[in-house]
Amino acid sequence: MNTHSTDALTWIKRIRFRHLEILLAIAKHGSLTAAAHALDMTQPAASQWLAEIESIVGAPLFIRGRRLQPTPFAAPVIRHAERVMGDSRRVVEEVASIRDGGFGHVRIGTMMSAATAIVPEAISQLRNAQSPIRIGLVEDVAVGLWSRFDRNELDIIICWLDERVLASDYPQEALFSETYSIVCGAQHPLMEKQAVSWQDAANYPWIMPPPGTALRIAIEATFTRKKIALPSIWLESASFTANQTIFNNTDCLGVLSTNFANYYQSMHLLSQLPLLLPEVRNVAEIGMVWKEESPGIALESVLNALRAANRQFK
């Protein structure tokens, strides 16, 4: 048996769930005292547990001081602890689902662009079919979704199929390419015009995506191609919640995914101008990513529901 196999077996035999729980508490709170308080134990006991973990790992995980600073050895151990905790929560949820008469629990993470149409439609289809699958749903930006996915807190994520996805070994499937619409407040003066041109749009201030993003480049290129001076930039923002309020409180214009724009226009919260941003280059398709090469019944049922919902909106 090689050294790496021996080390792995030693780890498995010595590491305990409590070690991982305490490690995550220390990483979260940054001090033994706060971690001990959170776990309802004494500070010396927490210190002893940490010493045991470091003995098992064979390296210091934190630099002692007023606030504990993780060493380079801490990151892979913390990731392992997060995955184990995520798997443990998954087991508890699966057992609870089966106990309640279901046959599985599937946790979905989605970006906002899919949260307004495809995901709700897929979940509705499952419910209308009286599916016994228990669904968990989280909405987040791509970075947050990947963080949860890596910790095994999500079974499927709906996100950009970018370089990270394409370079991974995870099963993946494209759903749709995003299009973008020009939006404004529900009572914007341009909504009263019979026809709206890009020149009209340039006469109003804009909320722009952050500089250097594919969307910002596409907006600027559109005005350049049409030989129209760029509009004044009133705000650079990636916060949709703030933007939506500002659109309705000012005469600013901006860009929003068409799926999102359709949804908020149907609720009379925003309006779309009859101007469509040309294809945005270097923006990946949106699709599904999951981990199991051979999905179980519950996961496969959810994947099929998402596929059916996507076809419905094409």
Side-chain angles (χ1 to χ4, degrees):
M1 182 179 295
N2 62 40
T3 303
H4 291 301
S5 298
T6 303
D7 290 344
L9 287 175
T10 301
W11 170 284
I12 293 169
K13 289 177 181 178
R14 295 184 62 191
I15 201 74
R16 295 168 59 183
F17 192 87
R18 189 62 165 170
H19 286 124
L20 303 181
E21 184 181 25
I22 290 169
L23 175 65
L24 292 179
I26 294 170
K28 177 181 179 180
H29 295 285
S31 81
L32 286 168
T33 302
H37 179 74
L39 296 174
D40 195 24
M41 61 168 38
T42 65
Q43 189 271 340
S47 180
Q48 179 61 36
W49 280 101
L50 176 58
E52 288 185 14
I53 300 168
E54 292 179 323
S55 173
I56 295 168
V57 174
L61 300 180
F62 295 93
I63 299 172
R64 272 59 168 178
R66 186 171 183 180
R67 182 172 180 83
L68 297 181
Q69 298 295 327
T71 69
F73 300 105
V77 185
I78 290 171
R79 285 198 299 270
H80 170 74
E82 289 173 337
R83 286 193 294 268
V84 171
M85 295 293 282
D87 283 344
S88 299
R89 282 191 290 269
R90 172 67 188 272
V91 170
V92 171
E93 291 163 355
E94 289 265 7
V95 171
S97 176
I98 294 169
R99 184 185 295 117
D100 294 339
F103 61 79
H105 180 216
V106 177
R107 304 160 301 175
I108 306 170
T110 181
M111 292 174 59
M112 288 190 295
S113 54
T116 58
I118 291 176
V119 172
E121 177 61 26
I123 293 174
S124 297
Q125 288 180 14
L126 289 167
R127 288 292 171 257
N128 291 338
Q130 297 184 334
S131 169
I133 301 170
R134 187 175 165 197
I135 303 291
L137 179 62
V138 170
E139 181 184 307
D140 204 344
V141 297
V143 173
L145 293 177
W146 274 104
S147 179
R148 295 170 188 263
F149 193 63
D150 288 340
R151 295 196 301 265
N152 286 345
E153 294 176 5
L154 296 172
D155 303 300
I156 306 170
I157 55 174
I158 301 173
C159 61
W160 301 114
L161 298 185
D162 55 15
E163 292 84 356
R164 173 171 182 169
V165 178
L166 299 178
S168 75
D169 294 326
Y170 294 133
Q172 56 201 251
E173 183 176 325
L175 291 173
F176 62 90
S177 296
E178 191 68 280
T179 59
Y180 295 88
S181 297
I182 312 305
V183 299
C184 57
Q187 306 300 321
H188 197 282
L190 285 179
M191 296 307 298
E192 299 178 3
K193 291 198 66 170
Q194 290 282 341
V196 178
S197 68
W198 281 95
Q199 182 60 66
D200 293 326
N203 293 332
Y204 288 89
W206 278 58
I207 298 176
M208 285 283 193
T213 60
L215 196 51
R216 174 70 170 267
I217 293 169
I219 295 169
E220 293 176 347
T222 299
F223 282 105
T224 300
R225 280 196 303 270
K226 296 180 180 296
K227 296 181 171 54
I228 300 173
L230 288 176
S232 64
I233 299 173
W234 195 77
L235 176 68
E236 292 175 335
S237 169
S239 169
F240 172 74
T241 303
N243 293 356
Q244 189 264 326
T245 301
I246 295 169
F247 284 136
N248 280 301
N249 291 341
T250 70
D251 59 355
C252 286
L253 304 181
V255 173
L256 197 61
S257 76
T258 302
N259 281 341
F260 228 22
N262 289 338
Y263 175 73
Y264 278 93
Q265 182 167 272
S266 71
M267 298 176 68
H268 308 289
L269 295 175
L270 288 177
S271 294
Q272 293 182 73
L273 296 175
L275 301 172
L276 192 65
L277 195 68
E279 181 179 350
V280 181
R281 296 182 179 180
N282 300 321
V283 173
E285 290 183 296
I286 291 177
M288 307 182 290
V289 182
W290 62 99
K291 290 184 177 179
E292 299 177 22
E293 285 288 350
S294 300
I297 296 175
L299 181 56
E300 186 63 39
S301 296
V302 173
L303 291 171
N304 286 334
L306 289 165
R307 293 175 182 122
N310 186 54
R311 288 193 297 270
Q312 182 173 325
F313 287 98
K314 281 189 173 179

